[in-house]
Amino acid sequence: MIIDLRSDTVTKPTKAMLDAMYAAPVGDDVFKEDPTVNALEVKVAKLFNKPKALFFPTGTMANQTAIKLHTNPGDQVICDKYAHIYNYEGGGLSFNSGVSCNLINGDRGMFTAMQAQKAINPPEFYHSPLTKLIAVENTTNKGGGACWDFNELIKLQTLAKANNLGFHLDGARLWNALIAKGETTQQYGNLFDTISVCLSKGLGCPIGSVLVGDEDIMKNAIRIRKILGAAMRQVGYLAAAGIYALDNNINRLSDDHQKAHDIVSVLKTQAFVAHIEPVETNIIIFALHKDIDEQKFITKLANKNIKISSMGAGKLRLVTHLDYTTDMHTEFISQIQKLDI
Ligand SMILES: *Cc1c(COP(=O)(O)O)cnc(C)c1O
């Protein structure tokens, strides 16, 4: 038994998901003739109460498309210093859209409307880049699965509107936030101009993300996706996994959250742990005491068939997910309790 807690992306499709994929009717999606892709797009658009949705191979491409839709070269995007679009998309926003970021020094990947307001360049001051977009991430990845305060998002929307700025949500793990906070997709659809969501993280699909948005902004989304090289053909097989996941794998995310909380209670009692960041969903970020060698710690666990990852700067990360079973959970907790460091 290998216990893999590196990421919620390590899940493999279940038999039931594979059956749904095999059974999917397909067609050429470039002609918009794949009924399963069309069904997935309609389903996600309806969920968020938005007129348009488009299927993407990755969340990165969905975010990159959104940024391109909201900006022109030379413009500036406001986001947190921890943002995935800034840190983990290969510098794509400067490569694909020719934009820069005004990074906010937020808290666990989240910032306030007040901070965002200060980051807006006055549009008449032509020496500065023109601010065009506010991008937020919920839950935050580098921030340890933290969930935004919905009231702050409302304030940010008001700010974006008043300043003619686009408002994009990187919702790769929005499902986790909805379950943890008891919020709805409609609430988010009403706030943001564009939202990207991942099907291949907590929901357990092998691939897939969806970008939803308003009619106007989404008009060119299919063109940008084509330019980025993802005009796809019979991908209904993949979209079928998405439909299956949306119907079956959202509510169960609370199990992942519960397991993460269980792990925290055990880590808290261990002498080798120096610090644990607040845990709200399925990501646990913790630090070891300075005199403990991080690599040795990771190897020690690897020798017990437990995989965890390092985030650098002395931080370690655990992520619970669909394939992290109750048996694995019991075994992991017992291994942590008897670990001699
Ligand atoms: C995983 C992730 C993405 C997209 O990742 P892909 O691997 O390209 O699907 C985007 N934003 C956040 C916050 C993520 O965690």
Side-chain angles (χ1 to χ4, degrees):
M1 178 162 78
I2 303 231
I3 301 174
D4 195 343
L5 290 164
R6 289 171 301 167
S7 175
D8 47 9
T9 55
V10 301
T11 56
K12 291 175 188 160
T14 56
K15 168 88 170 51
M17 182 180 278
L18 286 170
D19 286 345
M21 293 168 75
Y22 272 126
V26 296
D28 190 339
D29 184 49
V30 170
F31 292 110
K32 291 310 286 172
E33 283 174 7
D34 189 304
T36 310
V37 173
N38 293 344
L40 172 68
E41 291 177 351
V42 167
K43 189 180 179 73
V44 178
K46 273 211 186 117
L47 265 181
F48 285 91
N49 196 26
K50 286 290 195 205
K52 284 272 177 213
L54 194 64
F55 185 49
F56 283 82
T58 67
T60 297
M61 196 190 281
N63 280 334
Q64 290 299 314
T65 297
I67 292 163
K68 182 69 191 151
L69 291 171
H70 283 286
T71 61
N72 290 306
D75 291 344
Q76 196 161 70
V77 177
I78 293 173
C79 64
D80 190 87
K81 65 177 190 297
Y82 276 6
H84 193 278
I85 57 168
Y86 175 73
N87 290 285
Y88 301 126
E89 300 191 4
L93 43 68
S94 50
F95 187 91
N96 297 313
S97 298
V99 296
S100 58
C101 290
N102 196 340
L103 296 179
I104 297 184
N105 187 19
D107 175 32
R108 293 186 296 142
M110 303 174 293
F111 49 86
T112 64
M114 196 90 91
Q115 286 177 298
Q117 184 162 20
K118 287 188 192 135
I120 300 172
N121 297 325
E124 66 281 3
F125 188 69
Y126 61 82
H127 307 281
S128 311
L130 186 63
T131 308
K132 266 293 184 60
L133 174 65
I134 299 176
V136 308
E137 191 175 307
N138 199 16
T139 69
T140 63
N141 178 336
K142 201 174 160 71
C147 303
W148 281 71
D149 169 11
F150 197 78
N151 286 320
E152 206 59 45
L153 294 176
I154 294 174
K155 287 185 202 159
L156 276 169
Q157 184 208 28
T158 308
L159 179 74
K161 273 223 169 103
N163 290 275
N164 261 319
L165 308 178
F167 195 31
H168 173 67
L169 171 65
D170 176 350
R173 290 193 182 82
L174 180 63
W175 316 112
N176 295 88
L178 298 179
I179 291 298
K181 302 281 292 279
E183 296 160 347
T184 67
T185 42
Q186 286 86 348
Q187 282 177 289
Y188 280 84
N190 292 340
L191 270 195
F192 289 90
D193 302 321
T194 50
I195 300 175
S196 64
V197 289
C198 273
L199 304 166
S200 58
K201 298 226 164 117
L203 299 196
C205 291
I207 182 172
S209 278
V210 179
L211 180 68
V212 293
D214 294 325
E215 193 81 47
D216 253 24
I217 184 108
M218 288 296 284
K219 222 174 37 221
N220 277 323
I222 198 161
R223 174 181 291 276
I224 305 302
R225 190 185 67 177
K226 170 77 192 183
I227 292 168
L228 296 176
M232 302 177 286
R233 305 293 179 180
Q234 288 73 16
V235 284
Y237 294 119
L238 308 177
I243 293 172
Y244 178 87
L246 291 169
D247 288 340
N248 295 282
N249 293 348
I250 296 182
N251 287 332
R252 62 149 307 283
L253 289 170
S254 55
D255 297 352
D256 298 346
H257 300 173
Q258 185 54 52
K259 286 188 180 116
H261 288 298
D262 295 346
I263 293 171
V264 169
S265 345
V266 176
L267 283 178
K268 265 188 189 152
T269 64
Q270 301 305 307
F272 53 82
V273 176
H275 171 73
I276 310 171
E277 291 190 10
V279 171
E280 298 180 52
T281 54
N282 66 329
I283 303 178
I284 301 151
I285 296 177
F286 67 102
L288 299 172
H289 274 295
K290 271 204 287 298
D291 47 335
I292 300 170
D293 184 272
E294 188 182 303
Q295 209 45 57
K296 270 198 196 134
F297 182 83
I298 292 174
T299 308
K300 195 156 217 165
L301 286 175
N303 291 339
K304 298 182 188 301
N305 288 329
I306 296 166
K307 297 184 182 181
I308 70 167
S309 56
S310 162
M311 298 185 76
K315 287 180 179 175
L316 297 172
R317 189 177 90 155
L318 306 170
V319 188
T320 58
H321 53 77
L322 185 56
D323 286 3
Y324 175 62
T325 62
T326 305
D327 282 352
M328 292 177 186
H329 189 48
T330 309
E331 170 68 12
F332 176 66
I333 285 185
S334 111
Q335 289 294 348
I336 284 289
Q337 279 168 333
K338 62 184 184 211
L339 207 61
D340 70 287
I341 290 289

